[in-house]
Amino acid sequence: MAQKFRIVIVGGGVAGLALATRLGKSVGKSGRAEITLVDKSFAHVWKPMLHCFAAGTAANENDRISFMSQASRHHFEFWPGEISGMDRKAKTITLAPVIDTNGETILDERSLEYDAVILSIGSRANDFGTPGVAQHCMFIDNLVDANGFNDRFRKELLKAFAYHRELDIAIVGGGATGTQLAAELHKALGLAALYSFGQKPPELKITLLEAGPRILPAFPEAVSEAAMKQLEAIGVSVRTSAMVSGADENGFMLKDGTRIPATLRVWAAGVKAPDVTRKFGDIKLSRSGQLEVRPTLQLLEDDSVFAMGDCAFIADKPVAPTAQAARQQAHHLARHLPAWINGRPLPPFVFNNKGAVVALGDYNGWGTFPGGTVFGGGWLHGLSARMVHLMLYRQHQFELYGPFRGMVSCLVDWLDVFVRPSVRLD
Ligand SMILES: Cc1cc2nc3c(=O)[nH]c(=O)nc-3n(C[C@H](O)[C@H](O)[C@H](O)COP(=O)(O)OP(=O)(O)OC[C@H]3O[C@@H](n4cnc5c(N)ncnc54)[C@H](O)[C@@H]3O)c2cc1C
């Protein structure tokens, strides 16, 4: 019997899990190809929600999707592992050993053979080598980071409650991540105060630092201004044109010599590909380490290696690293790879900009349509934009779970409100 075509997808994030699920349901189910998904963690989360996990306003048990469970229901295999190298001649990728928190090696270094490999390993914040940031700041790049931040946040909040002192937090980066995190932390304090046996909540001093002239630079100026006003109305201090020159255990230093004291320091600026892309041999990378691809999402140097999502850079027509672009690229490959396996050419990926939304906790939200029309932010405090933000997440869940399990998952979340506190307390 002829060997099946082997497709390996590395990274089960917004793009990777959507692709594995769709290919599993088509060529995996029909037996035309063997689909293997590899991820360094065991569960998928919708990354645009990470700031909610960091603040503790989303329950991470309900919002995680187990890769093994998803694989078993959708005709693909899952293996845990972190890609550490690629041999394009031998058509293999190397996975680093899986080592648990006690230092025990669970799985040794392994290699996986492929006929086509799709790299979708996402991105992380970029500290641009700013002194002290790597040692003294927290990042919100994945669930481990978000949970780590939440642990620290809850401990510092407890101290602030107990000793009646303020808690200062500084966030660098006025993009969607930093801006939404600032609002979400404020919301989290309000919710935590409901469980504080009537004690007066401590003052939360949040400073948002942005190097550019305005926050949310991807949105029209009117949204940046409205968001800035909304943040200031809830007590967040926003400093634009604030170039950070260093960080230490007490806060940030700005280029103009100002010090911003902060007990908790978050770096949420810039985007770069994971450092491992530099170990993939002689291939062209963008300045931030992303893999340069042709419009077909194939590497410039190799037809059998694809990249999509945040780790990919389409040199001809770059698209911003967003969940929207990542999903569309996954859908493009899911649609065309089955024919490509049979020797048909791949059409180029064309990004269809459907607009963008940003939600500041429960306080407000805005969205834009491609023509520049802005919605949200009105007398309903941006309910429409916040609903769209939530809908995007539900759409993603429905895509992965299917309609029935998607509905059950919504119902479970809704019922959860009656059972659990609305903010993480333990
Ligand atoms: C807090 C926050 C809020 C955001 N809000 C929005 C928003 O409102 N709208 C929007 O469009 N975008 C938003 N984004 C950006 C959006 O989340 C990303 O653009 C999107 O997740 C990219 O999808 P991806 O599949 O490329 O990568 P990811 O979703 O990041 O997935 C990457 C996957 O690769 C795995 N991985 C990483 N390295 C390795 C390795 N070496 N080996 C194996 N596996 C690996 C990771 O575990 C992960 O599962 C936000 C991002 C953040 C952090």
Side-chain angles (χ1 to χ4, degrees), residues 126-365:
N126 191 348
D127 68 9
F128 306 103
T130 311
V133 171
Q135 301 82 348
H136 300 292
C137 293
M138 302 185 85
F139 294 80
I140 314 287
D141 286 328
N142 51 49
L143 189 59
V144 175
D145 288 351
N147 284 341
F149 175 84
N150 185 259
D151 280 348
R152 282 284 313 274
F153 177 55
R154 279 183 288 114
K155 277 178 204 155
E156 294 301 335
L157 211 49
L158 182 63
K159 287 190 213 165
F161 260 110
Y163 303 126
H164 307 288
R165 63 187 190 206
E166 62 184 28
L167 170 58
D168 42 22
I169 302 176
I171 302 166
V172 178
T177 306
T179 308
Q180 295 184 124
L181 178 65
E184 207 67 33
L185 290 173
H186 192 273
K187 172 181 159 184
L189 175 71
L191 292 172
L194 300 174
Y195 305 93
S196 65
F197 358 101
Q199 293 224 19
K200 192 172 171 285
E203 197 193 331
L204 196 55
K205 261 183 78 183
I206 304 177
T207 308
L208 182 64
L209 300 167
E210 165 57 42
R214 62 186 179 99
I215 60 168
L216 298 174
F219 286 79
E221 254 178 62
V223 172
S224 302
E225 268 172 40
M228 187 152 156
K229 276 196 192 130
Q230 180 65 64
L231 286 175
E232 284 176 344
I234 59 172
V236 175
S237 155
V238 182
R239 297 189 60 156
T240 51
S241 306
M243 189 67 87
V244 174
S245 59
D248 60 22
E249 62 279 18
N250 298 315
F252 288 107
M253 281 78 74
L254 303 189
K255 240 191 183 141
D256 66 6
T258 317
R259 275 201 72 93
I260 308 289
T263 307
L264 293 179
R265 300 158 298 279
V266 182
W267 189 273
V271 175
K272 67 171 184 173
D275 294 339
V276 71
T277 58
R278 301 194 186 278
K279 295 188 193 160
F280 291 162
D282 194 14
I283 54 178
K284 197 158 179 220
L285 301 178
S286 74
R287 269 176 38 204
S288 47
Q290 291 156 303
L291 302 149
E292 278 205 28
V293 291
R294 286 170 265 161
T296 54
L297 305 179
Q298 287 160 302
L299 285 196
L300 303 182
E301 304 79 2
D302 195 328
D303 280 358
S304 307
V305 183
F306 296 74
M308 61 176 183
D310 285 7
C311 72
F313 178 76
I314 308 174
D316 282 14
K317 228 179 186 182
V319 289
T322 61
Q324 188 187 164
R327 276 189 81 220
Q328 287 185 22
Q329 290 172 1
H331 293 177
H332 177 80
L333 288 183
R335 202 171 308 127
H336 298 292
L337 278 182
W340 176 78
I341 294 173
N342 292 336
R344 300 255 292 277
L346 276 170
F349 166 74
V350 180
F351 179 57
N352 174 14
N353 183 6
K354 294 185 176 155
V357 279
V358 61
L360 301 189
D362 287 342
Y363 307 107
N364 220 327

Side-chain angles (χ1 to χ4, degrees), residues 10-16 38-41 43-45 47-51 67 81-84 120-123 140-141 176-177 180 274 276 308-311 321-324 326 357-358 389:
V10 187
V14 170
V38 172
D39 198 286
K40 63 179 183 177
S41 65
H44 163 91
V45 289
K47 198 174 174 186
M49 262 181 88
L50 282 183
H51 61 287
F67 287 125
E82 183 164 358
I83 188 169
S84 56
S120 48
I121 53 177
S123 64
I140 314 287
D141 286 328
T177 306
Q180 295 184 124
V276 71
M308 61 176 183
D310 285 7
C311 72
T322 61
Q324 188 187 164
V357 279
V358 61
H389 207 261

